[in-house]
Amino acid sequence: MFSAVFLGILGISLFLVVLMNRRRRPAADPSAAEPPAADDPLAGNGNDRPITYDVFLSSPMASLPSDEDYESHRLGILRVLEALERDCRFKVYYAGERRPTKASFERPDVGAHRDSAALRESARFLLVMPKDLVSSSYVEAGYALALGIPSVYYHQSDIRLPFMLRQAAQYSPDFPRCKEYEYQRIDDIVRDIEESGTSLFD
């Protein structure tokens, strides 16, 4: 009799312990149980990245043929940067901002590390291509696509962008939003920013 009561109490105790453990046990993968909302524009694009810059502004630097070409082009890009800050209230990363001459460039490995880190922490990408050059700006543009960063490309009318950039907007949803515009003078880009504001990237 005593043994039967003891075994009954022991069985009930074990049942209660198992039941309590089941209630306390978390789901094996909570994120898998709750897929991202379909209307979340950041879902599935790697946009859980920390964002430091509103725009990564990319344009040729070392690939420009002369010091004079670089210095002249840099002054124009600084006008684009100022328009983004003034009319969009954007925080902008531009590698040439503190590089007034080619002599002030960082070592290539240091510069590449700094630029790639800034690109990973940017919400938007803006390319300005003034000449038909073999430029690392195209590498940055491709990296921005891989990161899912909405992009805008400005180039001179006689420049044909690489195929993947020209067709990027047609690959959705694999690629983010991309726009391509021709320009003749830096004034054209500055005016677009003044008139469109942040919607330039929408």
Side-chain angles (χ1 to χ4, degrees):
M1 182 76 173
F2 178 79
S3 298
V5 172
F6 176 78
L7 290 175
I9 294 173
L10 182 61
I12 292 172
S13 299
L14 288 173
F15 173 78
L16 291 174
V17 168
V18 170
L19 184 61
M20 292 293 289
N21 283 341
R22 282 184 178 177
R23 288 180 178 176
R24 290 176 183 172
R25 187 178 303 155
D29 185 1
S31 62
E34 297 181 8
D39 59 351
D40 182 0
L42 302 182
N45 287 325
N47 286 300
D48 52 348
R49 299 173 290 109
I51 299 299
T52 302
Y53 303 100
D54 296 298
V55 178
F56 185 101
L57 178 53
S58 177
S59 196
M61 293 172 58
S63 58
L64 288 164
S66 69
D67 291 343
E68 292 76 16
D69 286 331
Y70 168 70
E71 292 167 21
S72 174
H73 179 64
R74 174 181 174 274
L75 291 177
I77 296 301
L78 289 177
R79 290 185 58 212
V80 174
L81 184 153
E82 290 167 2
L84 289 167
E85 292 179 337
R86 180 186 65 245
D87 298 304
C88 302
R89 305 296 185 195
F90 280 163
K91 182 176 181 180
V92 183
Y93 179 88
Y94 168 51
E97 185 175 7
R98 294 178 178 82
R99 308 291 170 196
T101 65
K102 284 193 170 188
S104 62
F105 286 1
E106 298 171 294
R107 294 196 318 270
D109 57 330
V110 174
H113 176 74
R114 187 188 305 275
D115 293 350
S116 62
L119 184 51
R120 287 193 299 272
E121 296 180 5
S122 296
R124 302 166 184 83
F125 179 85
L126 176 59
L127 170 69
V128 179
M129 186 59 64
K131 296 184 177 182
D132 194 5
L133 300 167
V134 177
S135 172
S136 59
S137 289
Y138 288 134
V139 177
E140 293 169 347
Y143 191 24
L145 289 180
L147 291 170
I149 299 175
S151 301
V152 175
Y153 312 131
Y154 278 96
H155 61 86
Q156 292 285 316
S157 59
D158 59 343
I159 295 176
R160 189 168 175 81
L161 294 180
F163 175 79
M164 288 288 281
L165 299 187
R166 283 187 283 117
Q167 301 297 321
Q170 299 181 26
Y171 289 138
S172 183
D174 297 323
F175 283 163
R177 295 185 305 275
C178 298
K179 297 180 179 179
E180 177 187 355
Y181 299 113
E182 294 181 1
Y183 79 100
Q184 294 183 346
R185 299 178 302 162
I186 288 293
D187 288 343
D188 299 333
I189 304 175
V190 171
R191 184 175 59 252
D192 281 355
I193 295 170
E194 289 173 346
E195 294 178 353
S196 301
T198 60
S199 65
L200 178 66
F201 296 88
D202 294 341

